Amino acid sequence: MQIGLFILGAINNLPYVIVTSAAKTIADRFEENNLVGLVFGANVALNVVVKVANTFLLKTSYSARYVANSCLMLIGLFGVAYAFSFWFALLCIVFVGASSAFGENVALGYLKHFPSKLVNAWSSGTGMAGVLGSGIYIIFGCVVGPGGQDQDELSRLIKYAFLLTTPSVVLYLYAYFGVIRRPKEKASVQKEENGEREPLFASTNDQSDEIQEKPAVTQNLRDTLRKVWTGYKRIAWISFNLAAVYMFEYVAQGCAAKVRPHTEYNASCPELFAGIALCYQAGVFVSRSSVQLYQIRKIEILTVLQFFNMVLWVMDVHWKFLPTAVLPALMIFVGLLGGASYVNIFYLLLNDRMYEEDRELLINMAAIFITLGIIMGTAFETLLFSTILSND
C-alpha cells in the first residue's frame, strides 16, 4: 500500500519537476533569458482551474480521473519535447503543470480512505519526484552535453529529457490499478469509487431523485456557497501560510537562475541551475518524509523563515555576494521549509478532528492555495527580472 502511494506521488510530480529543473535551459534555448519566471508560471497557469474542476468531479470515479490525468501528462511531455517556439513550449508546460495539480488533488482526496499517516507515503513520493526529476535532468545534461549557448545542443537536451520520461506514465497507472488496494469501507463509501455516492454539495433536505424544481436548485447553490465560505474560514490561516511559503520559495528558486554570472550556466556537468534545483528537491524530499517522526503545528514559523530566505536570494541576484559553494546548502534549506509546511498542513487536514466534516472539500480548497502562492511567486519574480534586476 505504502509503496503504491509512494510511486503515485513520485510519478505524479516527476514531469513537473523536470520542467522546473529545465526552466533556465528552456528559456535559454529560445533566447528568452529574462523570462525564466514564465516557465514556472506556465507550470501552474491552469492549476487553480483543474483543482476547482476536481472539486466538482467528486462523483466521478478515481479510476477515470487517473486515466484522464495520464493523458494530460503525455500531452505535456510530448509537446515540450517537440516545441518549436518559446510560447508553444509554455503552452505544453501548462499541460504538464495541470496534470501535476489535478493528480495531486485527486490523490489527496483519495487519501481520506486510508489511515491518515499514509499521507507520509504520498508526500514522500512527491519529494522523491523532485530528487528523481532533477537527477534525471542532470544525467541527461551530462550525457547529451551541457550545450553552453549552442541552441541545437540545448534543444537536443530538452527533447530527450522529456521523451525519455514518458514511459513513467505506465508505472503511474500500474501503481493505482495494480498496487494500491483501498481498505474495505461502508457501502456508501464503496459507491463513491463507482461514482454513485451523493454529491458532497447535496442539500441537507431529503430530496427525491426526480428533477428538482428551480427553487430547490437555487437553495442547493446557496447551500454550496455557504459550505464553501464556512470551510474557507476554517482553513484560512493554514491556507494563507501554505500560499506564502510557496510564493517565497518559488521566488528563491527563480533567483537561482541569476545569482551567478551568465557564463557559469549551461557550462558544466552538473549544470549549475539544475544542480541547485536538485539541492532544493533533496530538501523537499527529506522534510516531506518527516511527518511520521515529528509533526509541526506552528506552521507560521516555517513561513517567516522562508520569507527571509527569499530576501537573501533576491539580494544575491543583484550583488552576487554569496559564493557558489554555499548556494547548495541554502537551497536545501529552502526545500526543507517548503516540504515541511506542505506535509504538516495536509497531515493536519487529514488527521485533526476539527477538519473531519467535509474533509475532502477542505483538502481541495487548501490545495488551491498552493497554486495561488506559486502564481504570486512567479509573477513577482518575473516583475523583478523584467525591471530592477533585468541587467543582473
Side-chain angles (χ1 to χ4, degrees):
M1 191 79 70
Q2 287 185 327
I3 293 174
L5 290 170
F6 180 87
I7 294 172
L8 209 61
I11 305 302
N12 185 79
N13 282 24
L14 182 62
Y16 178 94
V17 172
I18 291 180
V19 166
T20 301
S21 300
K24 180 165 177 57
T25 305
I26 292 170
D28 288 347
R29 159 69 183 88
F30 298 104
E31 299 181 335
E32 299 287 358
N33 300 344
N34 282 330
L35 298 183
V36 175
L38 290 185
V39 178
F40 291 121
N43 225 5
V44 298
L46 280 185
N47 289 14
V48 171
V49 175
V50 296
K51 287 182 176 184
V52 171
N54 181 61
T55 302
F56 292 94
L57 291 174
L58 300 181
K59 289 180 65 180
T60 305
S61 70
Y62 288 109
S63 299
R65 283 182 277 172
Y66 274 115
V67 171
N69 197 48
S70 300
C71 294
L72 281 177
M73 208 179 292
L74 287 171
I75 290 171
L77 288 169
F78 281 115
V80 178
Y82 291 104
F84 52 83
S85 72
F86 182 65
W87 301 105
F88 184 78
L90 292 182
L91 176 63
C92 296
I93 288 169
V94 167
F95 283 93
V96 172
S99 73
S100 176
F102 185 71
E104 178 180 55
N105 267 36
V106 173
L108 289 170
Y110 189 48
L111 281 168
K112 75 173 186 176
H113 302 293
F114 299 86
S116 60
K117 285 205 170 184
L118 282 181
V119 69
N120 192 68
W122 157 264
S123 63
S124 182
T126 61
M128 177 55 75
V131 177
L132 283 175
S134 298
I136 287 171
Y137 187 72
I138 286 173
I139 291 170
F140 286 151
C142 293
V143 172
V144 176
Q149 306 309 310
D150 187 310
Q151 304 306 310
D152 290 335
E153 289 297 316
L154 293 176
S155 179
R156 193 156 61 101
L157 171 57
I158 294 168
K159 178 179 178 179
Y160 287 112
F162 285 91
L163 281 183
L164 294 175
T165 305
T166 56
S168 65
V169 179
V170 176
L171 183 58
Y172 177 76
L173 291 172
Y174 175 71
Y176 174 74
F177 288 104
V179 179
I180 299 172
R181 292 289 181 269
R182 265 177 55 181
K184 291 184 179 180
E185 302 177 82
K186 296 178 181 179
S188 60
V189 177
Q190 293 295 335
K191 287 182 180 180
E192 179 188 351
E193 177 68 6
N194 298 320
E196 300 173 356
R197 75 175 177 102
E198 289 296 313
L200 183 63
F201 297 134
S203 171
T204 53
N205 300 323
D206 291 330
Q207 297 175 345
S208 68
D209 292 333
E210 303 297 323
I211 298 176
Q212 303 299 314
E213 299 296 329
K214 285 187 178 180
V217 174
T218 302
Q219 184 60 43
N220 282 348
L221 179 60
R222 288 174 181 168
D223 290 344
T224 297
L225 295 175
R226 188 180 300 112
K227 183 173 288 190
V228 169
W229 176 243
T230 302
Y232 168 73
K233 290 190 288 186
R234 289 163 63 193
I235 63 170
W237 178 242
I238 61 174
S239 296
F240 165 78
N241 279 276
L242 195 59
V245 161
Y246 269 83
M247 175 184 174
F248 301 152
E249 71 183 73
Y250 268 74
V251 173
Q253 270 191 282
C255 287
K258 299 191 76 171
V259 290
R260 301 303 302 162
H262 186 65
T263 53
E264 293 187 22
Y265 295 93
N266 294 317
S268 61
C269 175
E271 195 275 323
L272 179 59
F273 182 81
I276 294 175
L278 176 61
C279 294
Y280 164 79
Q281 299 296 348
V284 170
F285 172 63
V286 171
S287 57
R288 286 195 179 189
S289 305
S290 65
V291 74
Q292 286 185 319
L293 301 175
Y294 185 75
Q295 293 91 46
I296 300 172
R297 297 190 69 89
K298 295 194 174 189
I299 51 174
E300 59 272 13
I301 296 173
L302 304 173
T303 307
V304 172
L305 291 173
Q306 197 72 298
F307 171 76
F308 287 114
N309 267 338
M310 179 192 72
V311 171
L312 179 63
W313 282 87
V314 170
M315 291 172 61
D316 193 45
V317 170
H318 182 66
W319 284 289
K320 295 179 172 52
F321 58 89
L322 294 173
T324 304
V326 306
L327 297 179
L330 289 174
M331 192 53 79
I332 287 173
F333 187 48
V334 172
L336 285 171
L337 294 175
S341 181
Y342 176 95
V343 71
N344 282 281
I345 284 173
F346 284 107
Y347 178 79
L348 286 173
L349 287 171
L350 286 163
N351 191 61
D352 201 304
R353 288 179 178 271
M354 69 178 291
Y355 304 116
E356 187 169 1
E357 184 181 354
D358 295 326
R359 196 182 296 277
E360 187 168 4
L361 171 63
L362 299 181
I363 289 169
N364 275 273
M365 290 173 64
I368 290 171
F369 281 82
I370 294 176
T371 302
L372 294 177
I374 296 173
I375 290 172
M376 289 188 294
T378 54
F380 182 57
E381 173 206 325
T382 302
L383 178 64
L384 288 175
F385 284 9
S386 301
T387 54
I388 60 177
L389 299 178
S390 62
N391 295 321
D392 292 307

